[in-house]
Amino acid sequence: GENVEQHPSTLSVQEGDSAVIKCTYSDSASNYFPWYKQELGKRPQLIIDIRSNVGEKKDQRIAVTLNKTAKHFSLHITETQPEDSAVYFCAASTLSGNTDKLIFGTGTRLQVFP
Amino acid sequence: EPEVTQTPSHQVTQMGQEVILRCVPISNHLYFYWYRQILGQKVEFLVSFYNNEISEKSEIFDDQFSVERPDGSNFTLKIRSTKLEDSAMYFCASSEIYYEQYFGPGTRLTVT
């Protein structure tokens, strides 16, 4: 079935450094790839997304890249800050009939140390 | 900024009891979803709903689960006879078109 793998499971960086989280997906029909940030006890919050017709997208300090051939996409956070500390989930979505569904990765716990 | 809301925030129930989890999606959204997250694990898709009917459901969404949009604003998830393994955080999500799903704050369901 559909599967999304995410690495690493934990990531610790010093404030100001960059952080990279990588995901691979199995369903070649997937065409939408969002990233969610989840702080402890809170809802998953959509922070950036990319569609399959785009290779890269940037929004201030965060960027996402997509390699459709390799079925691989990544989240890049530059100039990390302590408030970036959270669990980050990647997801892949395939349009099926009238709706889509998100298949999530297993999450990356990012800790940014001051 | 409009947000998805969910009630209750925490529900404790005994095994075998029925529970109804409620969600109010963002008002102009047309697509509705339920997901669950067992403590410490990833978010799992349960069901999608559009145009007053289920579009897709996962293997988790068996005959014990049902969804309903009883009026123009609420979207509910019912579990008919809860099991211990149903204990999880249940998230409702909505989107205006497909993609860009916005999540509610979740209902923590504890089955004892």
Side-chain angles (χ1 to χ4, degrees):
Chain A
E2 303 126 326
N3 188 45
V4 176
E5 293 191 2
Q6 183 172 348
H7 300 280
S9 56
T10 61
L11 180 59
S12 296
V13 300
Q14 206 72 36
E15 183 178 2
D17 288 350
S18 294
V20 180
I21 302 170
K22 300 183 179 183
C23 290
T24 58
Y25 59 97
S26 62
D27 186 357
S28 55
S30 294
N31 53 9
Y32 172 68
F33 307 92
W35 287 86
Y36 286 84
K37 174 184 180 182
Q38 188 178 31
E39 296 175 60
L40 191 62
K42 301 275 185 72
R43 73 185 78 196
Q45 182 185 4
L46 178 64
I47 57 171
I48 195 167
D49 55 15
I50 191 166
R51 304 202 183 183
S52 58
N53 58 346
V54 176
E56 184 173 354
K57 184 176 176 181
K58 191 172 180 181
D59 182 4
Q60 299 182 343
R61 294 186 299 107
I62 58 174
V64 57
T65 59
L66 171 65
N67 182 331
K68 280 212 76 179
T69 304
K71 290 192 278 188
H72 174 268
F73 58 114
S74 301
L75 177 72
H76 304 250
I77 306 174
T78 58
E79 299 171 31
T80 53
Q81 301 166 2
E83 50 266 38
D84 294 330
S85 298
V87 178
Y88 290 81
F89 290 96
C90 63
S93 173
T94 307
L95 185 60
S96 173
N98 291 319
T99 63
D100 59 318
K101 65 181 181 188
L102 296 177
I103 303 299
F104 282 85
T106 48
T108 296
R109 181 172 301 281
L110 174 64
Q111 289 184 296
V112 181
F113 292 99
Chain B
E1 188 172 330
E3 288 186 329
V4 177
T5 59
Q6 289 183 244
T7 54
S9 57
H10 191 191
Q11 174 88 50
V12 181
T13 189
Q14 289 191 325
M15 200 166 47
Q17 295 296 303
E18 174 184 287
V19 294
I20 298 176
L21 310 183
R22 302 179 193 280
C23 168
V24 178
I26 295 173
S27 63
N28 63 331
H29 286 189
L30 300 176
Y31 299 83
F32 314 114
Y33 310 82
W34 283 101
Y35 292 84
R36 78 170 187 190
Q37 185 178 33
I38 294 171
L39 188 64
Q41 297 186 23
K42 66 178 178 180
V43 178
E44 299 174 289
F45 170 78
L46 292 178
V47 66
S48 59
F49 190 88
Y50 170 73
N51 202 26
N52 282 319
E53 61 182 17
I54 290 174
S55 292
E56 190 170 357
K57 55 186 180 180
S58 72
E59 291 176 354
I60 303 167
F61 195 90
D62 62 23
D63 292 345
Q64 294 301 310
F65 290 85
S66 62
V67 289
E68 196 177 31
R69 187 153 163 83
D71 53 41
S73 59
N74 290 284
F75 180 51
T76 62
L77 174 70
K78 182 194 289 186
I79 309 175
R80 285 190 189 82
S81 178
T82 49
K83 306 192 249 319
L84 293 176
E85 53 264 38
D86 293 328
S87 294
M89 182 74 93
Y90 287 80
F91 290 105
C92 172
S94 70
S95 62
E96 186 176 1
I97 57 172
Y98 39 82
Y99 308 145
E100 293 188 26
Q101 295 180 27
Y102 293 91
F103 282 68
T107 293
R108 180 167 298 284
L109 176 65
T110 302
V111 182
T112 61

